[in-house]
Amino acid sequence: MANARDLAGRTIVVTGASSGIGARFGEVLAARGARVALAARRLDRLEALTDTIKANGGEAMAVEMDVTDEASVIAAFDAVDEQFGRIDTVIANAGRDAKGSCLELTLEEFDSVMAVNLRGVFLTAREGARRMVTHLDPKARRGRIVLISSITSQMATPGLSAYSASKAAVNRMGKVMAKELARAGINLNMLLPGYIETDLTADSFQTESGKMFLASFPRRRLVEVEELDGLICYLCSDASSAVTGAEFTVDEGQSV
Ligand SMILES: NC(=O)c1ccc[n+]([C@@H]2O[C@H](COP(=O)([O-])OP(=O)(O)OC[C@H]3O[C@@H](n4cnc5c(N)ncnc54)[C@H](OP(=O)(O)O)[C@@H]3O)[C@@H](O)[C@H]2O)c1
């Protein structure tokens, strides 16, 4: 029986690994035995995390990638291929937000959110899938892609029109991609975290309205980033061979 905690032999690309959720994924996946390629724009942060992972006995590499730029994505995957060999798993996690009512949201901000959260997820998932179809045995069902969405894809939270739309689009795009990739032995799933304290959200929960929002959650708390560990390992592991095209919410009931 496949073990959901054992990722030995896997080569995983994690985008947005220079902070927050992506950095945590890098650490936990490496601790479970995977070779992890940490991708983002801030190379200094990726290198620092790579050093930490190596000091703990894991295997990691840092690779610069702007997920909105096709050439940058391809070059980063080439670098991973060269250093680590063939990839079998991609976590498309890089993201950004834009806050403010639709009355104030600028077109530049709208486009930028879509470029990172939707175009970036498409480019990284597509690049990973293109490489997996060339070398993975479809019958083994070992390819894994996880798209990091958000509970805001299913809520109507004022101030998050562009962000929520980008995440809802990721959910739908992911379902279509999962179906297209099923026969190639690649499983693609969406992970929808609830609110977690990271650089993305830290300011929001310091404001009075943020504190009121938090108080409205069933458990009046944020999700801890470590609470995603079990699910991300499962979705990257051989144990999830029959799971594809699914959406998984981890949110302490925040969206209920
Ligand atoms: N925190 C939450 O409450 C929460 C809840 C649900 C979903 N999420 C999602 O989880 C993911 C990670 O968010 P987080 O909370 O960990 O935020 P974060 O700490 O701000 O991390 C965002 C990451 O995305 C990377 N990134 C942004 N633009 C990029 C680009 N053009 N190319 C490559 N990398 C880029 C950043 O790296 P560089 O700046 O170095 O490039 C950074 O590593 C996002 O998709 C977010 O929407 C977060």
Side-chain angles (χ1 to χ4, degrees):
M1 192 167 69
N3 181 344
R5 295 169 64 85
D6 183 6
L7 301 176
R10 283 202 173 266
T11 300
I12 305 179
V13 175
V14 183
T15 72
S18 60
S19 68
I21 296 172
R24 174 68 191 177
F25 286 166
E27 283 192 284
V28 72
L29 297 169
R32 301 279 191 275
R35 278 184 299 272
V36 183
L38 307 164
R41 294 165 303 176
R42 288 171 292 177
L43 199 53
D44 54 335
R45 283 179 169 236
L46 299 174
E47 282 168 348
L49 181 57
T50 300
D51 290 344
T52 306
I53 289 172
K54 285 182 177 169
N56 291 329
E59 267 193 274
M61 65 177 281
V63 63
E64 199 170 346
M65 182 196 290
D66 180 345
V67 296
T68 67
D69 177 355
E70 186 177 32
S72 170
V73 172
I74 292 171
F77 274 83
D78 284 346
V80 178
D81 269 355
E82 197 171 316
Q83 189 170 329
F84 272 172
R86 292 164 160 180
I87 62 134
D88 46 46
T89 308
V90 172
I91 303 178
N93 165 76
R96 60 151 296 178
D97 68 356
K99 296 189 187 78
S101 154
C102 60
L103 297 172
E104 283 99 38
L105 191 68
T106 65
L107 187 55
E108 287 71 26
E109 283 179 302
F110 181 90
D111 285 345
S112 178
V113 169
M114 290 297 168
V116 178
N117 295 7
L118 182 56
R119 176 190 165 103
V121 165
F122 170 71
L123 284 175
T124 45
R126 186 190 68 175
E127 192 56 31
R130 279 182 171 170
R131 289 169 195 248
M132 289 180 216
V133 295
T134 65
H135 68 87
L136 291 179
D137 172 6
K139 292 198 192 75
R141 289 172 296 144
R142 282 206 79 239
R144 297 286 181 273
I145 300 176
V146 184
L147 311 184
I148 305 305
S149 177
S150 162
I151 55 167
T152 60
S153 63
Q154 300 176 334
M155 298 166 74
T157 310
L160 292 181
S161 55
Y163 181 79
S164 306
S166 71
K167 296 298 189 179
V170 161
N171 295 348
R172 185 50 47 182
M173 179 176 74
K175 288 205 179 256
V176 177
M177 289 175 100
K179 222 169 186 177
E180 291 173 352
L181 297 172
R183 293 219 178 138
I186 300 169
N187 292 15
L188 185 152
N189 293 290
M190 281 64 69
L191 171 52
L192 284 60
Y195 288 93
I196 298 174
E197 187 169 336
T198 64
D199 291 353
L200 192 75
T201 55
D203 295 345
S204 315
F205 291 100
Q206 304 309 321
T207 63
E208 279 315 304
S209 62
K211 287 176 189 163
M212 278 171 61
F213 187 42
L214 200 157
S216 74
F217 297 159
R219 288 186 176 148
R220 296 178 173 74
R221 66 182 292 276
L222 302 175
V223 176
E224 299 291 333
V225 70
E226 296 78 14
E227 291 175 302
L228 302 180
D229 291 357
L231 184 56
I232 197 68
C233 289
Y234 170 69
L235 292 177
C236 291
S237 75
D238 291 352
S240 59
S241 54
V243 180
T244 194
E247 295 174 12
F248 294 88
T249 299
V250 181
D251 76 342
E252 283 282 21
Q254 292 167 4
S255 63
V256 174

